[in-house]
Amino acid sequence: MTTLHVAAVGFTAGLALAVLTWVASVARHDASLVDRVWGPMIVATGGAMAWQLGATDVRTLTMLVIAGLWALRLAGYITWRNWGHGEDRRYQAIRARNQPGFAFKSLYLVFGLQAVLAWIVALPFLAAALGMLGNERDWMWLDGLGAALAVFGLVFEAVADGQMAAFKANPAHKGQVMDRGLWRYSRHPNYFGETCVWWGLGLMALAAGGWWALLSPLLMTVLLLKVSGVSLLEKDMHERRPGYREYVARTNAFLPGPPKSGAAAATEGRQ
């Protein structure tokens, strides 16, 4: 069995889940369903590759458990958050830009693309499984560091999402900017936590000898900072949330840090 064959089986597993979700999205007129299976697509892809290689070592299983918990929590949270709200406005915009025929076009523009991205993000599992086959890469300090970083990111993201959900549940906060808890130190602490998860798993792949798997956390960082995360969410946030400009002036976009105050925040707010 070649590495290419293993990689193809992994991609097929993620693609199968994407296609099934696409069928549901057409029936429900809701392409944003893909967000709910993003995590499971990655884990299905990685799990299929590890299974093909018969990887049962501590490193690979630890990575799959951490990623599985991350995917399960994220899928559950997004499903709960979006339940009954219809298609997310970001996907409504994509739908409007790609008419007529978006129902079919979404198969490759949304679901196929995310299956490809999920395969790249799942590369650390392939690296770990291949490292096990060589029998030369036992658990080492870099694995411990990576696992600790990934668990930290998992908890950090969950706490940030929980704080945001509690804030939005209070009707008195309607239209206000969430700037409490972890959101006081970063405008996107959930994305910061998610990035830590994948850099942690990337370090474990590095410990297995798969330096090339660092493409996974690099891609996830770019996606969250420049594509579907920070940039897209903040594109029109100033219009939807009065006071967001001041929040931007005093709060780091990504890396948590102490809020700016006084002249520094005022200067940035005028820029």
Side-chain angles (χ1 to χ4, degrees), residues 250-262:
R250 66 176 182 271
T251 311
N252 287 348
F254 191 65
L255 292 175
K260 303 179 185 69
S261 60

Side-chain angles (χ1 to χ4, degrees), residues 22 25-26 29 95 98-107 111:
W22 170 73
S25 79
V26 172
H29 200 70
R95 180 184 294 277
N98 291 281
Q99 295 291 9
F102 178 74
F104 174 72
K105 291 178 181 175
S106 66
L107 177 60
F111 294 88

Side-chain angles (χ1 to χ4, degrees), residues 152 156 179-190 192-193 247-261 265 268:
F152 165 79
F156 201 89
D179 60 354
R180 307 171 187 180
L182 296 177
W183 300 80
R184 173 178 168 81
Y185 306 101
S186 167
R187 302 202 299 275
H188 302 279
N190 50 343
F192 171 76
Y247 178 54
V248 169
R250 66 176 182 271
T251 311
N252 287 348
F254 191 65
L255 292 175
K260 303 179 185 69
S261 60
E268 292 193 21

Side-chain angles (χ1 to χ4, degrees), residues 42 60 87 99 128-130 138 147 159 167 173 179 212 244-245 253:
I42 297 172
T60 306
E87 188 173 56
Q99 295 291 9
L130 288 173
D138 293 333
V159 170
F167 180 82
H173 294 154
D179 60 354
W212 41 269
Y244 198 78
R245 196 179 301 278

